[in-house]
Amino acid sequence: MVEVADSLIQADELSYLAGIVILAGGASKRMGSPKAELILPTGERLVDYHVRQALELSAALTSNLPIMIADNGRGFSINPDLLKNSPSPVFHITDYLSANSLSNKILSSNDDKPIATGGALVAIEAALQSLKSLVSSNQLMTDKSPYISWLMVISCDSLIPVNDLWQKLQPYMTQNPDKAVICLTDEHHLYPLLGLYRLSIEPNLKHYIDDGQRQVMKFIKPLVQPIPFAKNWQYLTNFNTPKDFEHACLALNNL
């Protein structure tokens, strides 16, 4: 693999970040409470931590990036202090529903059964559609092609600083034009919900979802460029229990 320095380099015409989506709609069964509402040792809620980090990256790039919260309709509030005088729009998005999934949702509602989450891909599809809509309505001012524009995806079960994640992934945006997804990996697993997704994949992702598919790995397998992450990030992500979260907070403090 070609060695690429882990330093923030200016976004150029071949590596344009168009927006950020924070995935916060998981069931969080083993955690016992929504991960987005977890409280860091600093007193900050996890969802606010991610929004603040995303705003800081947007400011560093001077891009006024749209920051989307995909929380499966839970309506997690954002600390209003973060939004004061922020040039970046921060808003909630609704998961993409294909005609098939919409029918299933109506049936589930009629049967008084709990509605399961649609999975990460329906949230990512909604974010991609939102960015394309902003471009078409001239609310997102860019002349960049969707083939060189990217969406950053951040899972709520991570404490990896957003700017650090961007520094890690951004250099690879121009390495292989056939790779439309760039995400972290360790020696055992891919982390597709900590990555960059090229906007041009939106039609294919929509078709995949409309076909009844929801498996993230199956969709990204032919598209993905895995990037090994730093060893000191090992405990910062994929926390599913209170004990896992405690370890992640300790690891963050030791960065």
Side-chain angles (χ1 to χ4, degrees):
M1 180 182 295
V2 177
E3 287 291 325
V4 181
D6 292 333
S7 60
L8 182 61
I9 57 182
Q10 295 279 330
D12 60 24
E13 62 178 7
L14 296 179
S15 56
Y16 173 75
L17 184 62
I20 299 172
V21 63
I22 299 165
L23 304 182
S28 305
K29 291 180 180 179
R30 284 186 285 169
M31 186 65 70
S33 61
K35 293 176 185 176
E37 300 276 271
L38 293 173
I39 305 297
L40 293 164
T42 57
E44 188 174 31
R45 288 184 313 148
L46 190 52
V47 67
D48 291 328
Y49 169 83
H50 286 300
V51 170
R52 175 175 58 80
Q53 295 262 334
L55 288 170
E56 289 173 0
L57 176 60
S58 179
L61 297 176
T62 62
S63 297
N64 299 341
L65 298 173
I67 298 166
M68 297 161 281
I69 316 296
D71 63 3
N72 196 33
R74 298 186 182 199
F76 295 126
S77 63
I78 305 301
N79 184 341
D81 289 340
L82 293 174
L83 308 180
K84 289 180 181 177
N85 304 316
S86 170
S88 292
V90 180
F91 55 94
H92 292 73
I93 58 173
T94 302
D95 288 354
Y96 169 71
L97 286 176
S98 65
N100 184 42
S101 60
L102 181 58
S103 297
N104 290 338
K105 184 171 183 177
I106 292 171
L107 286 173
S108 177
S109 178
N110 290 340
D111 292 341
D112 292 326
K113 294 179 181 178
I115 301 170
T117 63
L121 288 182
V122 296
I124 294 172
E125 171 65 17
L128 292 169
Q129 289 188 1
S130 293
L131 290 180
K132 291 177 70 174
S133 177
L134 288 172
V135 170
S136 64
S137 65
N138 294 321
Q139 294 182 59
L140 182 59
M141 299 301 293
T142 176
D143 58 356
K144 305 296 185 183
S145 160
Y147 291 95
I148 58 173
S149 301
W150 299 74
L151 166 72
M152 176 178 277
V153 174
I154 302 168
S155 174
C156 214
D157 63 351
S158 169
L159 291 179
I160 295 173
V162 173
N163 189 55
D164 291 354
L165 180 63
W166 169 248
Q167 289 184 41
K168 185 70 176 177
L169 301 178
Q170 193 267 351
Y172 296 87
M173 294 162 81
T174 60
Q175 292 296 306
N176 190 337
D178 294 329
K179 301 303 183 182
V181 176
I182 306 168
C183 72
L184 295 180
T185 187
D186 60 21
E187 57 187 17
H188 302 295
H189 306 288
L190 281 174
Y191 294 82
L193 307 186
L194 291 168
L196 297 169
Y197 287 66
R198 192 182 290 148
L199 267 61
S200 60
I201 70 170
E202 187 277 323
N204 290 336
L205 179 54
K206 180 179 182 297
H207 178 76
Y208 182 79
I209 294 170
D210 288 347
D211 201 37
Q213 301 293 325
R214 294 293 185 276
Q215 297 176 40
V216 177
M217 296 301 185
K218 181 179 177 181
F219 177 76
I220 71 169
K221 186 175 181 179
L223 306 172
V224 69
Q225 170 70 63
I227 307 301
F229 61 39
K231 290 183 178 179
N232 60 347
W233 289 1
Q234 181 178 359
Y235 298 106
L236 287 175
T237 189
N238 200 28
F239 42 80
N240 293 303
T241 67
K243 198 69 175 178
D244 291 343
F245 181 59
E246 182 181 335
H247 289 158
C249 290
L250 289 173
L252 179 63
N253 190 55
N254 292 330
L255 278 184

